[in-house]
Amino acid sequence: MRVVITGGGGFLGSHLCDALLRRGDHVVALDDFSTGEPANVAHVRDHPRFQLIRADVTNEFDVRGAVDAVAHLASPASPPDYHRLCLETLAVGSRGTENALRLAVAHRARFVLASTSEVYGDPAIHPQREDYWGNVNPIGPRSVYDEAKRFAEALTVAYRRKMHAEAGIVRIFNTYGPRMRPNDGRVVSTFIRQALDGEPLTIYGDGSQTRSFCYVDDLIRGIVAMLDSDLLGPFNLGNPREQTVRELAELVREATGSDSGLEFMPLPVDDPTRRRPVVARAQEKLGWSPLIPIDEGLRRTVAWFAPGSEESRGSAERARAMPVGY
Ligand code: NAD
Ligand code: UDP
């Protein structure tokens, strides 16, 4: 297959590039590097089956040659990023999604939208199944992201109905792993960086809010299974093991061997109180289940963040200085 990945230079997108290249596919990564980094794909820039195009997908674009599938991952994803890039987030969820869908329709290609557990907002139903419609504040600080993704889902369904797009949707729950930006503000990257730097771990609120954290390799297997299917979904992709933010802080302290203290800070407005996916539908229809337990996933992530290790952010930072072949 020749697969176009919008947001291919981001955290998840770059791992998807790797997984597809490993199995023999051709990959075209499109990215404007607004929140991603060229370093994420520097190791494949000379790969004969890899191409990087620097482009903002909110502008109309075409990709020359065959396109068999489009994975639409482009969007700011961390709360500080989408607060800062509020208009860009709305644009990429709406215009960007439509441009990616148009590309897929023009090439009769499979289309997969990277949606999010945020479509459930602060969920009134727990755990979350795909038939729950959610509880989103349409004018709150998270709305630029949540509503952009909800619109993107509606657009995907409409393109499937009206334009016969072979389109599907995955709803991704909190995912972590190597290549997260140490300063992206998300909880796993922030806690690991703080623990390694000997700083207190910043807990928002009392830390009793929950999330369910999925290791990146598991998540990517789910996206690949979705690319290979012709199903609409939506499918929850996430790890059903749920923990409080406070418990996560303990796990990170164990994984890093750090004795950092805890610092309690105000809870952001509309921060969801709990989140856990039901993944039975993905298990049944895609044959997908998460496999990597959180202690193992954190160990691998810490190894990447720790200075001096082979696969470290140190090497990523060195790679960042390298020119990018596009
Ligand atoms: P990321 O910020 O690392 O990656 C997003 C990529 O999209 C970046 O490389 C960024 O530069 C690129 N991008 C943004 N706007 C663009 C535009 N207009 N044109 C071209 N490129 C653009 O974030 P991520 O965690 O890798 O998230 C990838 C996708 O998965 C996003 O759509 C996100 O909403 C979704 N998602 C991620 C998670 C998670 O836990 N990581 C959870 C739910 C959903
Ligand atoms: N969080 C925290 N400290 C941090 C960053 C985040 O306690 O330094 C909390 C945040 O308030 C939320 C949870 O961790 O309850 C997950 O936050 P993240 O930004 O990673 O993802 P999201 O809120 O989008 O699920």
Side-chain angles (χ1 to χ4, degrees):
M1 288 214 297
R2 186 158 181 261
V3 185
V4 172
I5 305 176
T6 74
F11 161 48
L12 296 182
S14 64
H15 284 278
L16 184 59
C17 291
D18 288 348
L20 295 175
L21 289 172
R22 261 199 309 274
R23 72 174 196 172
D25 290 337
H26 292 250
V27 171
V28 181
L30 255 77
D31 208 298
D32 67 353
F33 294 110
S34 49
T35 60
E37 309 211 356
N40 289 336
V41 285
H43 60 291
V44 290
R45 79 196 157 115
D46 295 326
H47 193 294
R49 284 183 279 106
F50 178 76
Q51 188 187 348
L52 177 64
I53 300 173
R54 193 183 283 255
D56 175 348
V57 299
T58 65
N59 300 321
E60 274 183 43
F61 63 91
D62 195 9
V63 172
R64 276 196 296 261
V67 176
D68 301 302
V70 178
H72 180 45
L73 274 66
S75 171
S78 148
D81 284 344
Y82 62 70
H83 288 155
R84 184 171 50 90
L85 299 167
C86 51
L87 297 178
E88 290 85 347
T89 302
L90 285 161
V92 76
S94 52
R95 281 201 305 279
T97 301
E98 182 142 32
N99 288 336
L101 276 160
R102 280 198 189 121
L103 178 75
V105 167
H107 291 266
R108 296 183 187 284
R110 171 70 168 154
F111 175 89
V112 173
L113 171 69
S115 184
T116 168
S117 53
E118 286 282 330
V119 299
Y120 302 122
D122 187 6
I125 304 280
H126 192 72
Q128 291 79 54
R129 288 174 14 157
E130 290 89 345
D131 54 8
Y132 175 50
W133 294 349
N135 177 33
V136 171
N137 175 357
I139 55 165
R142 300 175 85 95
S143 64
V144 292
Y145 183 67
D146 300 8
E147 298 291 17
K149 291 288 185 181
R150 288 169 69 96
F151 179 84
E153 288 202 9
L155 200 60
T156 300
V157 172
Y159 261 72
R160 188 167 169 120
R161 191 168 57 234
K162 220 36 196 187
M163 312 294 285
H164 310 291
E166 208 198 272
I169 299 166
V170 291
R171 293 181 179 154
I172 301 169
F173 284 63
N174 297 65
T175 300
Y176 68 99
R179 299 191 197 142
M180 294 186 90
R181 276 164 32 234
N183 294 315
D184 72 358
R186 292 189 260 201
V187 69
V188 175
S189 37
T190 303
F191 281 1
I192 292 178
R193 184 188 57 73
Q194 290 168 335
L196 290 173
D197 292 348
E199 295 172 11
L201 310 193
T202 48
I203 295 192
Y204 299 165
D206 63 4
S208 63
Q209 70 273 33
T210 68
R211 294 293 187 271
S212 304
F213 297 98
C214 185
Y215 187 66
V216 61
D217 291 3
D218 280 337
L219 194 275
I220 296 299
R221 269 192 304 106
I223 296 183
V224 172
M226 191 59 173
L227 281 169
D228 289 345
S229 91
D230 58 1
L231 299 170
L232 169 63
F235 293 106
N236 287 341
L237 294 181
N239 191 319
R241 168 146 175 210
E242 180 183 7
Q243 36 233 138
T244 65
V245 165
R246 182 87 197 241
E247 285 163 353
L248 177 73
E250 288 310 323
L251 287 168
V252 169
R253 285 204 291 204
E254 276 166 35
T256 52
S258 164
D259 58 3
S260 283
L262 304 179
E263 185 180 345
F264 290 86
M265 300 177 72
L267 189 67
V269 175
D270 290 344
D271 198 278
T273 48
R274 54 191 178 164
R275 188 180 285 158
R276 172 154 65 98
V278 175
V279 294
R281 190 187 278 186
Q283 271 165 349
E284 188 196 332
K285 304 279 186 199
L286 298 177
W288 175 85
S289 299
L291 301 173
I292 299 175
I294 185 135
D295 46 355
E296 170 63 16
L298 284 178
R299 198 187 57 72
R300 294 187 198 179
T301 310
V302 168
W304 186 82
F305 273 76
S309 61
E310 183 72 9
E311 253 287 292
S312 73
R313 74 175 145 122
S315 56
E317 269 154 14
R318 280 193 299 283
R320 192 176 309 144
M322 292 156 60
V324 182
Y326 63 89

